[in-house]
Amino acid sequence: MKRNHPVLAVVVPCYNEELVIRESATRLTGLLSDLIAAQKISPKSFIYFVDDGSTDESWTIIAQLHHHRESVIKGLKLVRNVGSQTALLAGLLNVREHADCAVTIDADLQHDEQAIWSFLEKYQQGAEVVYGVRNDRRTDTFLKKYTVLFFYTLMNILGVRIIKNHADYRLISQKALQAISDYKEYNLFLRGIFLDMGFKSDVVYFNVRERYAGEPKQTARELLSIAWDGLTSFSVVPLRLITFTGAAILVLSILSSVYILLQAATGSSIPGWASIVIPIYFIGGLQITLMGVLGEYVGKMYKEIKARPRFIKDIELF
Ligand code: UDP
Ligand code: MG
């Protein structure tokens, strides 16, 4: 793997982006030329558009751009729309053999592409993954801003490692790209998986701009589903919460039983009340606790099914 003049692949997921692809291609090829001129990257570097099952002219445009400049602009067309996360993964896995490192960036030019200069600097200094972090969330709606804040807080509480305000804008070295191919799980939450790997990483701050043209392609529902995937694929804490809730109820019911029985003994309670209420709380608490115990096993099975690599090799002297 070359740290000094790496072959850089810029992976761009596109879903119905006919209005922006030409402009992104122009800006990105411009940037690549500058980087090549400054000897930051190899002249073999390229841009890789992933057409995520677009129904507009996106692919026609990508194909035209490719014919015009075959060595610089490459593309991949997916049969149907699979969502930005999977489209990104498809791109990363495909460029893996041809590049020393890859940067993923949105097609709509919201991510300031000039930040790639800093990405490469961090890469040169030895980072295997460089995370692009938004400077602010000015371009987001009020609702999105607060939903996102809630999400990060929740992830934090649940003990999921995640970088706040990190978009799908990042540099990934070939080593990390190789590692990603060992993760066979269906729902891959890219924003969390690289942190989970534990490679040496770094952060670069960048400015977010308004979308160049067209409408956002990810609906609120898709964003929520990505967030939910992230939560459930990194944490079994929600399952454990069942155990805690059940145990708490059980303990409380036992304590109150003692109190109620004492009262019954002194004759100051309503007849029949204790014998009805005590079993309700006790059995309720017991049931929830046992559900939690089942949940623990479900959590273990979930972990096994994902079959994540138990370790990732760094260096081997054999
Ligand atoms: N995208 C995709 N597949 C989809 C939805 C979106 O490949 O199903 C791409 C889209 O073309 C863009 C990037 O993912 O390059 C981010 O999407 P968008 O700008 O709509 O999302 P937001 O800026 O709201 O995060
Ligand atoms: Mg966008």
Side-chain angles (χ1 to χ4, degrees), residues 132-304:
V133 173
R134 294 156 158 257
N135 267 332
D136 61 60
R137 296 201 152 260
R138 252 182 314 187
T139 57
D140 281 353
T141 59
F142 181 81
L143 187 67
K144 186 170 175 190
K145 216 179 288 184
Y146 284 94
T147 319
V148 166
L149 188 69
F150 172 73
F151 170 68
Y152 283 118
T153 316
L154 192 64
M155 291 292 258
N156 234 323
I157 293 170
L158 296 182
V160 182
R161 266 175 291 194
I162 187 160
I163 289 184
K164 204 170 159 206
N165 289 340
H166 163 50
D168 274 321
Y169 186 22
R170 66 180 81 84
L171 178 145
I172 305 151
S173 75
Q174 204 187 46
K175 207 185 230 174
L177 285 176
Q178 294 294 350
I180 196 93
S181 62
D182 288 337
Y183 284 71
K184 306 289 185 207
E185 65 204 82
Y186 188 83
N187 287 314
L188 204 56
F189 183 62
L190 288 175
R191 289 174 201 196
I193 216 90
F194 292 107
L195 270 177
D196 196 64
M197 289 177 177
F199 281 121
K200 184 168 160 26
S201 65
D202 216 324
V203 166
V204 164
Y205 292 88
F206 71 95
N207 292 320
V208 188
R209 296 184 288 230
E210 294 293 344
R211 189 171 236 287
Y212 177 70
E215 292 300 312
K217 301 302 177 307
Q218 303 199 95
T219 58
R221 224 179 97 200
E222 275 159 335
L223 289 176
L224 281 178
S225 121
I226 294 177
W228 182 246
D229 268 351
L231 228 160
T232 50
S233 58
F234 280 93
S235 173
V236 288
V237 172
L239 287 174
R240 193 149 293 161
L241 282 181
I242 305 178
T243 321
F244 286 135
T245 318
I249 295 178
L250 197 61
V251 169
L252 279 178
S253 86
I254 292 174
L255 289 180
S256 57
S257 305
V258 174
Y259 174 72
I260 293 167
L261 285 176
L262 281 177
Q263 270 199 328
T266 56
S268 64
S269 73
I270 308 158
W273 188 80
S275 57
I276 295 175
V277 167
I278 292 176
I280 292 180
Y281 286 107
F282 183 74
I283 302 277
L286 191 67
Q287 271 179 337
I288 299 177
T289 311
L290 293 182
M291 255 170 69
V293 173
L294 277 180
E296 292 289 323
Y297 285 92
V298 174
K300 286 247 154 62
M301 280 158 68
Y302 182 47
K303 238 173 139 174
E304 293 290 335

Side-chain angles (χ1 to χ4, degrees), residues 13-15 17 52 81 83-84 106-108 110 211 216-218:
C14 313
Y15 179 54
E17 299 283 13
D52 183 12
N81 180 249
S84 64
D106 283 359
D108 58 10
Q110 283 197 282
R211 189 171 236 287
K217 301 302 177 307
Q218 303 199 95

